[in-house]
Amino acid sequence: MPGAGRQLAATTLRFVLLLTLLLVASVSMTQFTLANLGLLRPAAVTCAGMVPTDDRRVTWDPTDCVELQAVTPPWWVIPAASLLLLGAAAVLFAVLPHWKARRGRVLPLAAVDREGQVGRMIAELVVQTGLRHAPTVLVDPTALSAGAVVFGRTGRPRLCLHGGLLARMRTEPHAVRAVLLHELGHIDNRDVTLTYATVALWRSFVVVALVPFVATHLHLIVRFPFTPGAVPTHRNLLAAALLVTLVYLSRSDLLRTREFHADLAAARWGADLRGWSAASPVRVGRGRRLLAGFGGLWRIHPDWESRRRVLADPGMLSRIPALAMFLTGAALILVDAQLFWIDPSAVASAAGSAVAPAVASVAAVALLATGVISSLVWQAVLPAWQAGRGGPRGLRAGLWLGLGMLVTEFVSGRVAIWEWLPQQPLLLVLLLLAGVAVTWWITQCCYLWASAWPGRSLRPVRWIVFITGFVAIVGWMTWWRGPGVVLAHGIPLPRSNIALIFAPGGLEPGQLLPYEAVLPAYVTIVWLTSMMVLEAVPLSQIAVAVSWAIPLAAWLVRPRPAPNAGLASVPGPGAEVVVTPAPAMPPRPVPLPRFRRLVLPALAGALLCWAAVATTMAVMHLALPVIGTRAQIFVNAYQGWVTFALLGAAALSASVASTLAGRYQLVAAVIAGQLTVLGGSVGVLALVAIDGCVGPLTLFHTSCGWQPGQAWTAWRGLLGGILVLSLIAAIPAAGLVAGARAVTARWRRDRPAAVHVPGWARMVVRRAFVTVVISTAMTLTIARGASAPTSGGTAARPGPSGSAPPTGGVAPTAGPTGSPDSPRLKAIEVSAWISRGGGSLTTRFFDVYGKFAVAISDLKTRKPGANGKVEVDEARIRPLCASIETIAAEAARYAAVPDAQAQTSWRSFVEYATRAGRDCSRSFETGDSQPFVTSIADLQLAYTHLAAVGQRFTDIRKAGGG
């Protein structure tokens, strides 16, 4: 049965969630109210090239938008709004007990209980319960209900008895005793202070934030009911409604939970439960139960049927609550979205870059989320583990966590500024999947370390799980607030652009040699990793390493023999011990799987990868020699085969290990997949380093030699992305295995739990193996970081003809006239420019350019006719010329780029694209081939300048912390 300590932890977690939601809501609403009163220029409405003016005109100039609205709020707004709410709540908290205990409303108990019967009962109950602080007893004679209430503070509680309760003293003393024990349970659980702090915070929030915000919003809606700029206004109102709903639900959940725990405390002290209600439970249908359950979410006092269920099964309070997980996901996004608009340049000078403040803000949010999630999971896992029964898997709780993130991100306005949905709405589903994956993983880590830890106290492993979960959430949120938000605004990099780099001749089946068949899939992988910027996210490699190295360390702890096994003989080292559950100390319900069930699939996967790479090299050796453009395609094809060999072997070993691991499907899949990639990478590096020494496997060198430096230079760029992709691939692999196990559970026999106790020799070998593996992983990670290019430069990306766009890190320049010089604001301006149509124009041009380049490549393969000239396929190329001309005309009319340097390249792009489209079309009209040749050169220059725009956007986003 839950005790006071667990109850205090449960209510404290809920209070922290409530306080976080209240602070975020108060800050957001106060900013908006001050902005619309003219006291503060808003940052929530960002530059998107469209601003409603006083006379309801619409301007499409991003410079005006920046000048009018997109100004970063002063630093003092957040602390000022927070102090305003907390100060008002503190005053109300101090005044409220005195107001409730004022003369004329309540009387001292002695004035009503002249015989002292009630006073003696209360004194006896205080002694019986062992309370440190006896309450001051008051009576409200006007209250006719047979109840009571505790108010004030935990150190100075006041117990107010209703007049109707005293009237039952003579006829039903057992009922009065039950009510009094319930109220004393609140004091013993130390929730009185949190309760009235909750009440004070809610009432202060309504007065200082909610009412002014609603009044200001109604004014805006009346003033601009149908203007294009009304979408952000309406979304802000929807976001405010969601915030108020979340705050109210969080408040109700906290107050409702304390009632359950007070009931349990009273029952533990021997209260007659019949005294709380004379009503008897009535059976109702499923529909009415669901409706009653939904209505119960809004109640601050649970209904009697819910209280009976909790008293009958106290373990219900140990389950992972769906509402708390939803609120945690919502708080995670709300706080991050609020910090997202803070200009990182203000603290970048102290941190050294704009990336460090972004990571610091994410870390602050992740501390709260990780603490709540890990505490709720441990609260559910420990009772199940101690009772020797199956507990929660974390999937359903993770679904609620992800749903909270998804709903809140939708209304936050961060992924869509001027529309309701982002340009890539399916990307929001990643929030749902991330919530499931993170919670599932944390739950399995809790079971894993609870079963492996030999000590009596689980506090060290609680910290282990907390740290690993914290790193995972920081890695995820850093990616989402940067590349994730940018991708939601549109896909800036078309796949055709990557295809032109890796396969200039095209990706059609007839244009590829047999060993080049991997290029279409490889181009897709490179395109996805380039768009998602998986490797460039801070802490991504640390999060990947933590995801498998920390759980793997659980197998370094030598397990204890099962207690009370009841065996006649003592087993030798390495023997299987069949555990018979004992009533006094039940065995661990799910022991750790055998270590070899993780290692053997990984070793088999690494060997499979080596064999696949060696076979690939032998087959590609037969295609030598290659010259011209085929030489680079040959290298790209080799990298593609190696990448898929590693990913395929990792996915296969992850599936096998997950199948053999029992409950720990996700942990086993991640560990086996990462070990496979590391083992396979060592083999690939060795094969490349000795290239030229084995004749049938020679690809790049004509002489034999040991060249590890060249091998590492060629391989380090791929390793980071493959590690992240293998981690991502392990999650669906484990999900499929878990789904299959759930489907076949009814036909599968449960075997008795078996604890394998390895001998000391095996433990030494195991620890040496894990040490070598982790050291290798750390060495590779450090080597990659040491040899990676600095943030000030960017590797060149060759175009279809071998040209490279301008590269290198360029310091941000001043924006357009009137625009604040802010890296964060500049990044927001660029994202808005892309989402309003710039990204669509860029994508369309790259698509047409790719088709044009393929058509020109096909012309080079044709034989000249009788006149010595190559005939141009007019039906294929002329529509492309018209498309280029149309795109150039639309680009010329589109809003200027909100960056001087990018705008220069954009103007050059428009100029060359206009000439290319015009000359190309004119060549078909006049039959003159010279304009067609000129258009090809102009089109190449247009591509180069547009690529420079994209590179400049990348630099701006990096400087802005995204």
Side-chain angles (χ1 to χ4, degrees), residues 819-867:
S819 171
D821 189 9
S822 161
R824 164 60 68 188
L825 181 57
K826 183 71 69 176
I828 295 172
E829 294 170 13
V830 166
S831 297
W833 184 90
I834 292 173
S835 66
R836 292 301 304 168
S840 175
L841 287 171
T842 303
T843 301
R844 287 166 55 195
F845 175 80
F846 280 136
D847 183 61
V848 174
Y849 178 79
K851 295 177 180 178
F852 193 91
V854 172
I856 298 301
S857 179
D858 290 345
L859 286 179
K860 296 179 181 180
T861 61
R862 292 189 179 184
K863 295 182 179 180
N867 58 358

Coordinates of all heavy atoms in Angstrom, one line a residue, residues 819-867:
S819 N 15.7 46.0 -39.9 CA 15.6 44.7 -39.3 C 16.6 44.6 -38.2 O 17.8 44.9 -38.3 CB 16.0 43.6 -40.4 OG 16.1 42.4 -39.8
P820 N 16.2 44.1 -37.0 CA 17.1 43.9 -35.9 C 18.2 42.9 -36.3 O 17.9 41.8 -36.9 CB 16.3 43.4 -34.8 CG 14.9 43.7 -35.2 CD 14.9 43.7 -36.7
D821 N 19.4 43.2 -35.9 CA 20.6 42.3 -36.2 C 20.6 41.1 -35.2 O 21.4 41.2 -34.3 CB 21.9 43.1 -36.2 CG 23.0 42.3 -36.8 OD1 22.8 41.2 -37.3 OD2 24.2 42.7 -36.7
S822 N 19.8 40.1 -35.4 CA 19.7 39.0 -34.5 C 19.8 37.7 -35.2 O 19.0 37.4 -36.2 CB 18.3 39.1 -33.8 OG 18.0 37.9 -33.2
P823 N 20.7 36.8 -34.8 CA 20.9 35.5 -35.5 C 19.6 34.7 -35.5 O 19.2 34.1 -36.4 CB 22.0 34.9 -34.8 CG 22.8 36.0 -34.2 CD 21.8 37.0 -33.9
R824 N 18.9 34.7 -34.3 CA 17.7 33.9 -34.2 C 16.6 34.5 -35.1 O 15.9 33.8 -35.8 CB 17.2 33.9 -32.7 CG 15.8 33.5 -32.5 CD 15.5 32.1 -33.0 NE 16.2 31.1 -32.2 CZ 16.3 29.8 -32.6 NH1 15.7 29.4 -33.7 NH2 16.9 28.9 -31.8
L825 N 16.5 35.8 -35.0 CA 15.5 36.4 -35.9 C 15.8 36.2 -37.4 O 14.9 36.0 -38.2 CB 15.4 37.9 -35.6 CG 14.3 38.7 -36.3 CD1 12.9 38.1 -36.1 CD2 14.3 40.2 -35.9
K826 N 17.1 36.3 -37.7 CA 17.4 36.1 -39.1 C 17.1 34.7 -39.6 O 16.6 34.5 -40.7 CB 18.9 36.3 -39.3 CG 19.4 36.2 -40.7 CD 19.0 37.4 -41.5 CE 19.7 38.6 -41.1 NZ 19.3 39.8 -42.0
A827 N 17.3 33.7 -38.7 CA 16.9 32.3 -39.0 C 15.4 32.2 -39.2 O 14.9 31.5 -40.1 CB 17.4 31.4 -38.0
I828 N 14.6 32.9 -38.3 CA 13.2 32.8 -38.4 C 12.7 33.5 -39.7 O 11.8 33.0 -40.4 CB 12.5 33.5 -37.2 CG1 12.9 32.8 -36.0 CG2 11.0 33.7 -37.4 CD1 12.4 33.5 -34.7
E829 N 13.4 34.6 -40.1 CA 13.0 35.3 -41.4 C 13.3 34.4 -42.6 O 12.4 34.3 -43.5 CB 13.9 36.5 -41.5 CG 13.6 37.6 -40.5 CD 14.6 38.8 -40.5 OE1 15.4 38.8 -41.5 OE2 14.6 39.6 -39.6
V830 N 14.4 33.7 -42.5 CA 14.7 32.8 -43.7 C 13.7 31.6 -43.7 O 13.2 31.3 -44.8 CB 16.1 32.2 -43.5 CG1 16.4 31.1 -44.4 CG2 17.1 33.3 -43.8
S831 N 13.4 31.1 -42.6 CA 12.4 30.0 -42.6 C 11.0 30.5 -43.1 O 10.3 29.8 -43.8 CB 12.2 29.4 -41.2 OG 13.4 28.8 -40.8
A832 N 10.6 31.7 -42.7 CA 9.4 32.2 -43.2 C 9.4 32.5 -44.7 O 8.4 32.2 -45.4 CB 9.0 33.5 -42.4
W833 N 10.5 33.0 -45.2 CA 10.6 33.2 -46.6 C 10.5 31.9 -47.4 O 9.9 31.9 -48.4 CB 12.0 33.9 -46.9 CG 12.2 34.3 -48.3 CD1 11.9 35.5 -48.9 CD2 12.8 33.5 -49.3 NE1 12.3 35.5 -50.2 CE2 12.8 34.3 -50.5 CE3 13.3 32.2 -49.4 CZ2 13.3 33.8 -51.7 CZ3 13.9 31.8 -50.6 CH2 13.8 32.5 -51.7
I834 N 11.1 30.9 -46.8 CA 11.0 29.6 -47.5 C 9.6 29.0 -47.5 O 9.1 28.6 -48.5 CB 12.0 28.6 -46.8 CG1 13.5 29.0 -47.1 CG2 11.8 27.1 -47.3 CD1 14.5 28.1 -46.4
S835 N 9.0 29.1 -46.3 CA 7.7 28.5 -46.2 C 6.6 29.3 -47.0 O 5.6 28.7 -47.3 CB 7.3 28.5 -44.7 OG 7.1 29.8 -44.2
R836 N 6.8 30.6 -47.2 CA 5.8 31.3 -48.0 C 5.9 31.2 -49.5 O 5.1 31.7 -50.2 CB 5.9 32.8 -47.6 CG 5.5 33.2 -46.2 CD 4.1 32.8 -45.9 NE 3.1 33.4 -46.8 CZ 1.9 33.1 -46.9 NH1 1.4 32.1 -46.2 NH2 1.1 33.7 -47.8
G837 N 6.8 30.4 -50.0 CA 6.9 30.1 -51.4 C 8.3 30.0 -51.9 O 8.5 29.5 -53.0
G838 N 9.3 30.5 -51.2 CA 10.7 30.5 -51.7 C 11.2 29.0 -51.8 O 11.9 28.7 -52.7
G839 N 10.8 28.2 -50.8 CA 11.2 26.8 -50.9 C 10.5 26.1 -52.0 O 11.2 25.2 -52.7
S840 N 9.3 26.4 -52.3 CA 8.6 25.8 -53.5 C 9.3 26.2 -54.8 O 9.5 25.3 -55.7 CB 7.1 26.2 -53.5 OG 6.5 25.7 -54.6
L841 N 9.6 27.4 -55.0 CA 10.3 27.9 -56.2 C 11.7 27.1 -56.3 O 12.0 26.7 -57.4 CB 10.6 29.4 -56.1 CG 9.3 30.3 -56.4 CD1 9.7 31.7 -56.1 CD2 8.8 30.1 -57.8
T842 N 12.4 27.0 -55.2 CA 13.7 26.4 -55.2 C 13.5 24.9 -55.6 O 14.3 24.4 -56.5 CB 14.4 26.5 -53.9 OG1 14.5 27.9 -53.5 CG2 15.8 25.8 -53.9
T843 N 12.6 24.2 -55.0 CA 12.4 22.8 -55.3 C 12.0 22.6 -56.8 O 12.5 21.7 -57.4 CB 11.3 22.3 -54.4 OG1 11.7 22.4 -53.0 CG2 11.0 20.8 -54.7
R844 N 11.1 23.5 -57.3 CA 10.7 23.3 -58.7 C 11.8 23.5 -59.6 O 12.0 22.8 -60.6 CB 9.6 24.3 -59.0 CG 8.2 24.0 -58.3 CD 7.3 25.2 -58.4 NE 7.1 25.7 -59.7 CZ 6.6 26.8 -60.0 NH1 6.2 27.7 -59.0 NH2 6.4 27.2 -61.3
F845 N 12.7 24.5 -59.3 CA 13.8 24.7 -60.2 C 14.8 23.6 -60.2 O 15.3 23.1 -61.3 CB 14.6 26.0 -59.8 CG 15.8 26.2 -60.7 CD1 15.7 26.8 -61.9 CD2 17.1 25.9 -60.2 CE1 16.9 27.0 -62.7 CE2 18.2 26.1 -61.0 CZ 18.1 26.6 -62.2
F846 N 15.1 23.1 -59.0 CA 16.0 21.9 -59.0 C 15.5 20.7 -59.7 O 16.2 19.9 -60.3 CB 16.3 21.6 -57.5 CG 17.4 22.5 -56.9 CD1 17.2 23.0 -55.6 CD2 18.5 22.8 -57.5 CE1 18.1 23.8 -55.0 CE2 19.5 23.6 -57.0 CZ 19.3 24.1 -55.7
D847 N 14.2 20.5 -59.6 CA 13.5 19.4 -60.3 C 13.6 19.5 -61.8 O 14.0 18.6 -62.5 CB 12.1 19.3 -59.8 CG 11.4 18.1 -60.5 OD1 11.8 17.0 -60.2 OD2 10.4 18.3 -61.2
V848 N 13.3 20.7 -62.3 CA 13.4 20.9 -63.7 C 14.9 20.9 -64.2 O 15.2 20.3 -65.2 CB 12.8 22.3 -64.1 CG1 13.1 22.6 -65.6 CG2 11.3 22.3 -63.8
Y849 N 15.8 21.4 -63.4 CA 17.2 21.4 -63.7 C 17.7 19.9 -63.8 O 18.5 19.6 -64.6 CB 18.0 22.2 -62.6 CG 19.5 22.2 -62.9 CD1 20.1 23.0 -63.8 CD2 20.3 21.3 -62.1 CE1 21.5 23.0 -64.0 CE2 21.7 21.3 -62.3 CZ 22.3 22.1 -63.2 OH 23.6 22.1 -63.4
G850 N 17.3 19.1 -62.8 CA 17.7 17.7 -62.9 C 17.2 17.0 -64.1 O 18.0 16.3 -64.8
K851 N 16.0 17.3 -64.5 CA 15.5 16.6 -65.8 C 16.2 17.2 -67.0 O 16.5 16.4 -67.9 CB 14.0 16.9 -65.9 CG 13.2 16.3 -64.8 CD 11.7 16.6 -65.0 CE 10.8 16.0 -63.9 NZ 9.4 16.4 -64.0
F852 N 16.6 18.5 -67.0 CA 17.3 19.1 -68.1 C 18.7 18.5 -68.2 O 19.2 18.2 -69.3 CB 17.4 20.6 -67.9 CG 17.8 21.4 -69.1 CD1 16.9 21.8 -70.0 CD2 19.2 21.6 -69.3 CE1 17.3 22.5 -71.1 CE2 19.6 22.3 -70.4 CZ 18.7 22.8 -71.3
A853 N 19.4 18.3 -67.0 CA 20.7 17.7 -67.0 C 20.7 16.3 -67.5 O 21.6 15.9 -68.3 CB 21.3 17.8 -65.6
V854 N 19.7 15.5 -67.2 CA 19.6 14.2 -67.7 C 19.4 14.2 -69.2 O 20.0 13.3 -69.9 CB 18.5 13.4 -66.9 CG1 18.2 12.1 -67.6 CG2 18.8 13.2 -65.5
A855 N 18.6 15.1 -69.6 CA 18.3 15.1 -71.1 C 19.6 15.5 -71.8 O 19.9 15.0 -72.9 CB 17.2 16.1 -71.4
I856 N 20.4 16.4 -71.3 CA 21.6 16.8 -71.9 C 22.6 15.7 -71.9 O 23.4 15.4 -72.9 CB 22.2 18.1 -71.3 CG1 21.2 19.3 -71.4 CG2 23.6 18.4 -71.8 CD1 20.9 19.6 -72.8
S857 N 22.6 14.9 -70.8 CA 23.5 13.8 -70.7 C 23.2 12.7 -71.7 O 24.1 12.1 -72.3 CB 23.5 13.2 -69.3 OG 24.3 12.1 -69.2
D858 N 21.9 12.6 -72.0 CA 21.5 11.6 -73.0 C 21.9 12.1 -74.4 O 22.2 11.3 -75.3 CB 20.0 11.4 -73.0 CG 19.5 10.7 -71.7 OD1 20.4 10.1 -71.1 OD2 18.3 10.7 -71.4
L859 N 21.9 13.4 -74.6 CA 22.3 13.9 -75.9 C 23.8 13.6 -76.2 O 24.2 13.3 -77.4 CB 22.2 15.4 -76.0 CG 20.7 16.0 -76.1 CD1 20.8 17.5 -76.1 CD2 20.1 15.5 -77.4
K860 N 24.6 13.5 -75.2 CA 26.0 13.2 -75.4 C 26.3 11.8 -75.8 O 27.3 11.5 -76.4 CB 26.8 13.5 -74.1 CG 26.8 15.0 -73.7 CD 27.5 15.2 -72.4 CE 27.5 16.7 -71.9 NZ 28.2 16.9 -70.7
T861 N 25.3 10.9 -75.5 CA 25.5 9.5 -75.8 C 25.0 9.2 -77.2 O 25.2 8.1 -77.7 CB 24.7 8.6 -74.8 OG1 23.3 8.9 -74.8 CG2 25.3 8.9 -73.4
R862 N 24.3 10.2 -77.8 CA 23.7 9.9 -79.2 C 24.8 10.1 -80.3 O 25.7 10.9 -80.1 CB 22.6 10.9 -79.5 CG 21.3 10.6 -78.6 CD 20.2 11.4 -79.1 NE 18.9 11.2 -78.3 CZ 17.8 11.7 -78.6 NH1 17.7 12.5 -79.6 NH2 16.7 11.4 -77.9
K863 N 24.6 9.4 -81.3 CA 25.5 9.5 -82.5 C 25.1 10.6 -83.4 O 23.9 10.8 -83.6 CB 25.6 8.2 -83.2 CG 26.2 7.1 -82.4 CD 26.3 5.8 -83.3 CE 26.9 4.6 -82.5 NZ 27.0 3.4 -83.3
P864 N 26.0 11.4 -84.0 CA 25.6 12.5 -84.9 C 24.9 11.9 -86.1 O 25.2 10.8 -86.5 CB 26.9 13.2 -85.2 CG 27.9 12.8 -84.1 CD 27.5 11.4 -83.7
G865 N 24.1 12.7 -86.7 CA 23.4 12.3 -88.0 C 24.3 12.5 -89.2 O 25.5 12.7 -89.1
A866 N 23.7 12.4 -90.3 CA 24.4 12.6 -91.6 C 25.0 13.9 -91.7 O 26.1 14.1 -92.4 CB 23.5 12.3 -92.8
N867 N 24.4 15.0 -91.1 CA 24.9 16.3 -91.2 C 25.9 16.6 -90.2 O 26.4 17.7 -90.0 CB 23.8 17.3 -91.1 CG 23.0 17.2 -89.8 OD1 23.3 16.3 -89.0 ND2 22.0 18.0 -89.6

